[in-house]
Amino acid sequence: MTSALLDATWISLRVALTATVIDVLPAIALGWWLARRSTLLRTCVVTVVSLPLVLPPVAVGLVLLHGLARDSAGGRMYEAVFGHPAILTIDAAILAAAVMAFPLFVLGAREGFASVPRRLERVAASLGASQWRVLFEVALPLAARGILHGAVFAFARALGEFGATILVAGRIPGETETLALAIYDRFQHFEDAQAWGFVGVSVVFALVLTFAAERFLRRRSA
Amino acid sequence: MSRFALRATYPGFTLDARAAFDAPCTALFGASGSGKSTILEAIAGVRDDVAGEVEIAGVRVDGLPARARRIGWMPQDGALFPHRTLRQQIAFATDVGGADANDATRAIDALELGALLDRRPHELSGGERQRGALARALAARPRLLMLDEPLAALDRPLRARIVPFLVRVWRDLGVPMLLVTHDPLEVTAIAQHVLVLEAGRVVREGNPRGLFPSAVTFGGLLAMSAENHFVVDVVGRAEGSLRVRTPLGLEFEIASLEGFPDPGGVSLRAEDVLIATTEPHGISAQNVIPATIERIEDLHPARMVVATASGETIRARLVPKAVASLGLEPGKSIWLVIKANAVIPVPKH
């Protein structure tokens, strides 16, 4: 395995894993909220949250680019906290991946919570359980399968992210060059043999994730 | 003394029920859709669309959240947590209910659950699940234990085996019970006081044995627990049976009893109505009635198929699996199959 391939693999994993971890809390909280509401507000929130799924990724990238630019409020806030600009760093790649993966995580969590019969939560409350205990000891364990499904697909989406990432993080070998960016670059430069190497690693990841989701997370038929 | 006064309005249904009760076991008795489960859920504090007052064992609880009411509530299927063993469920109830572990031990002993504690719900039989849910509810040391049709999901032989356990709850453990049922046998077997509910109102109450005159006790109770009621005239007679007709022309063959006057009406329990999607032949049931499905109501977990036949409305209670396997849907033509013995004659007033 070449150094570029190792770097890209490591960067991709780091970006995808960190993006998924960043999404965990907001995705679970929002998924729970969405599963328990049936108002117009819920429909509006789902619509907005799903935007990264339906918009061209480069469009999302352009929005992020403006939101993180040094002269923007977001960019200034980021620089004040981390001491350096966000754009063209791995942090920007992580943020882009987190935004693109978020809808899949939220929708998975929502399905997970929606599959938990409200009766069980109500019985837990009637036994004397607080809302937090109902959430952590009844709803979360029973929604875990859906949440994990969401997490796996969010991770997979983050791993393959390209359009938004190239705009906000660029392609800096060894720093922001993920597998997806590397494939595109090698293809552009007629380095097909190398491109196929990156494709091979991507295929392995895709197979492992899909197999794991199907084998361990698919709801057993009744 | 416990009492409730509850009000709610839904499309096509108004709940306006009030009653006071003090017996060790009180039954809330009525047909499907009469508001029994709604009352239980409102008392438990798990639904916020019902207004009114609830006082349990002298304590006003209607302003309290469900977790602070200390009212045990057991839905029809028991609602055990599928991811926990029975031991974990009971420990959870003891913990969140702030109860003494001795309460849980007494419940486990009384309900004979010692050998089942390390099983999860899917490893338990229907009756064991009901007993497990009972023990869990009791482990939280409730002021009142409310059971929503605890025997409805069980077959008849199993019901008979569970009844003694229900009796032990108030007799041996001293926990007062409010029992929802539409089965008159359960009322007479378990309860000392009965509240009869019709269309969202408590229309009668008292001792189950004294409330209904003896001559019509069982038939009267059966008829009151039925979902289908028709005014009829007798239009034909045969040995051991009568043919009756409603004003709109729907006819039933019903069993007749020597020495009893002709009925002025008939009642029919929704669970006694079978549905066939093709016309059945060669069966003993005397009533095979062509009908059309008007709508299917979700009574969780049961389904109520509402059909029209000769202009009359007939309700049939089915399990969801039956509705799915027969492909039942509004507008579909079906045959209602009813035994003559399932049609309950109601005397003329």
Side-chain angles (χ1 to χ4, degrees):
Chain A
M1 204 183 249
T2 66
S3 149
L5 187 57
L6 274 175
D7 283 350
T9 303
W10 165 239
I11 290 166
S12 286
L13 282 174
R14 189 177 154 198
V15 165
L17 199 62
T18 315
T20 308
V21 169
I22 288 172
D23 282 346
V24 167
L25 275 180
I28 290 177
L30 193 56
W32 176 81
W33 185 83
L34 291 173
R36 294 289 174 263
R37 293 285 181 280
S38 55
T39 57
L40 181 64
L41 178 63
R42 186 201 71 141
T43 310
C44 295
V45 171
V46 170
T47 307
V48 172
V49 166
S50 303
L51 274 181
L53 276 183
V54 285
L55 277 174
V58 283
V60 177
L62 201 60
V63 172
L64 286 174
L65 187 63
H66 281 275
L68 292 172
R70 296 190 74 174
D71 57 352
S72 71
R76 281 197 298 273
M77 198 185 303
Y78 178 90
E79 206 163 332
V81 174
F82 295 99
H84 60 85
I87 300 302
L88 300 180
T89 65
I90 192 166
D91 290 357
I94 289 168
L95 190 65
V99 168
M100 296 305 294
F102 190 61
L104 289 170
F105 206 154
V106 171
L107 296 179
R110 181 185 69 169
E111 291 312 306
F113 283 114
S115 71
V116 179
R118 291 299 299 276
R119 238 170 40 265
L120 299 183
E121 297 179 19
R122 289 171 173 160
V123 163
S126 78
L127 292 169
S130 65
Q131 266 190 320
W132 288 110
R133 290 199 71 167
V134 172
L135 176 62
F136 283 106
E137 298 192 41
V138 179
L140 260 181
L142 293 174
R145 200 180 285 265
I147 294 170
L148 283 172
H149 233 127
V152 167
F153 284 106
F155 180 79
R157 178 70 188 82
L159 203 58
E161 167 44 34
F162 176 84
T165 309
I166 190 89
L167 279 193
V168 295
R171 188 196 63 79
I172 306 170
E175 285 187 37
T176 65
E177 188 181 62
T178 61
L179 286 167
L181 299 181
I183 292 168
Y184 180 71
D185 176 71
R186 302 308 184 275
F187 174 73
Q188 287 281 69
H189 292 90
F190 303 102
E191 295 166 350
D192 283 15
Q194 280 194 45
W196 281 114
F198 292 110
V199 169
V201 175
S202 301
V203 168
V204 170
F205 282 137
L207 286 174
V208 168
L209 286 171
T210 313
F211 180 84
E214 185 64 20
R215 180 78 180 85
F216 303 112
L217 297 178
R218 192 171 157 266
R219 197 165 289 278
R220 289 181 193 89
S221 52
Chain B
M1 175 64 77
S2 299
R3 63 181 183 87
F4 60 80
L6 300 166
R7 293 175 304 281
T9 305
Y10 307 100
F13 178 72
T14 300
L15 177 75
D16 186 7
R18 58 191 65 230
F21 52 97
D22 200 19
C25 179
T26 302
L28 192 53
F29 173 79
S32 300
S34 59
K36 305 186 299 289
S37 297
T38 307
I39 290 176
L40 242 56
E41 289 170 13
I43 293 175
V46 296
R47 60 188 306 158
D48 49 17
D49 55 354
V50 179
E53 297 173 3
V54 179
E55 186 179 303
I56 300 301
V59 180
R60 274 288 290 274
V61 298
D62 48 85
L64 302 174
R67 66 186 159 84
R69 295 191 178 195
R70 283 189 47 215
I71 297 173
W73 169 55
M74 191 176 121
Q76 198 178 111
D77 62 354
L80 287 172
F81 307 134
H83 61 301
R84 287 176 176 250
T85 63
L86 212 44
R87 187 190 303 281
Q88 290 169 332
Q89 316 229 15
I90 292 170
F92 175 79
T94 308
D95 187 21
V96 297
D100 192 324
N102 290 332
D103 291 321
T105 308
R106 274 199 295 278
I108 290 166
D109 290 344
L111 299 169
E112 298 174 19
L113 289 166
L116 307 172
L117 288 175
D118 293 316
R119 295 193 192 170
R120 290 176 197 275
H122 71 273
E123 296 167 320
L124 299 170
S125 69
E128 289 166 349
R129 275 199 292 272
Q130 296 299 83
R131 279 154 53 200
L134 254 181
R136 184 184 63 181
L138 290 166
R141 208 165 46 100
R143 291 189 182 104
L144 172 73
L145 178 62
M146 303 193 302
L147 311 176
D148 193 349
E149 306 220 23
L151 308 179
L154 310 176
D155 53 32
R156 289 206 178 269
L158 200 52
R159 289 184 197 187
R161 285 166 52 195
I162 296 292
V163 166
F165 291 107
L166 297 180
V167 172
R168 281 184 207 178
V169 170
W170 58 261
R171 194 189 59 200
D172 298 350
L173 301 176
V175 178
M177 286 202 309
L178 182 59
L179 172 82
V180 155
T181 178
H182 70 288
D183 187 332
L185 279 175
E186 283 174 37
V187 176
T188 49
I190 306 169
Q192 302 83 34
H193 189 76
V194 59
L195 308 172
V196 180
L197 199 65
E198 270 180 27
R201 289 171 178 271
V202 176
V203 293
R204 241 173 291 181
E205 63 176 295
N207 184 304
R209 292 170 207 284
L211 189 59
F212 307 104
S214 59
V216 292
T217 295
F218 198 68
L221 279 168
L222 270 178
M224 290 181 70
S225 70
E227 291 79 1
N228 301 291
H229 306 277
F230 305 97
V231 173
V232 294
D233 287 318
V234 174
V235 294
R237 296 170 196 280
E239 188 184 351
S241 69
L242 295 174
R243 188 141 195 93
V244 297
R245 185 187 293 153
T246 69
L248 292 179
L250 178 62
E251 294 192 4
F252 292 104
E253 196 78 20
I254 71 170
S256 67
L257 286 174
E258 283 295 321
F260 277 76
D262 284 351
V266 293
S267 294
L268 188 56
R269 284 152 63 100
E271 65 191 42
D272 288 333
V273 181
L274 307 183
I275 289 181
T277 51
T278 54
E279 186 175 5
H281 295 284
I283 60 170
S284 62
Q286 291 300 296
N287 299 288
V288 177
I289 302 167
T292 304
I293 296 176
E294 195 177 298
R295 62 182 186 278
I296 299 174
E297 296 169 354
D298 186 355
L299 298 182
H300 190 83
R303 299 284 185 274
M304 188 69 84
V305 177
V306 182
T308 51
S310 301
E312 302 279 8
T313 299
I314 300 185
R315 290 175 165 76
R317 185 183 172 105
L318 269 62
V319 293
K321 194 176 165 189
V323 173
S325 66
L326 293 177
L328 300 183
E329 57 186 14
K332 190 177 178 86
S333 294
I334 54 171
W335 276 264
L336 304 172
V337 182
I338 305 158
K339 290 176 66 172
N341 275 309
V343 185
I344 308 158
V346 178
K348 284 180 180 154
H349 291 298

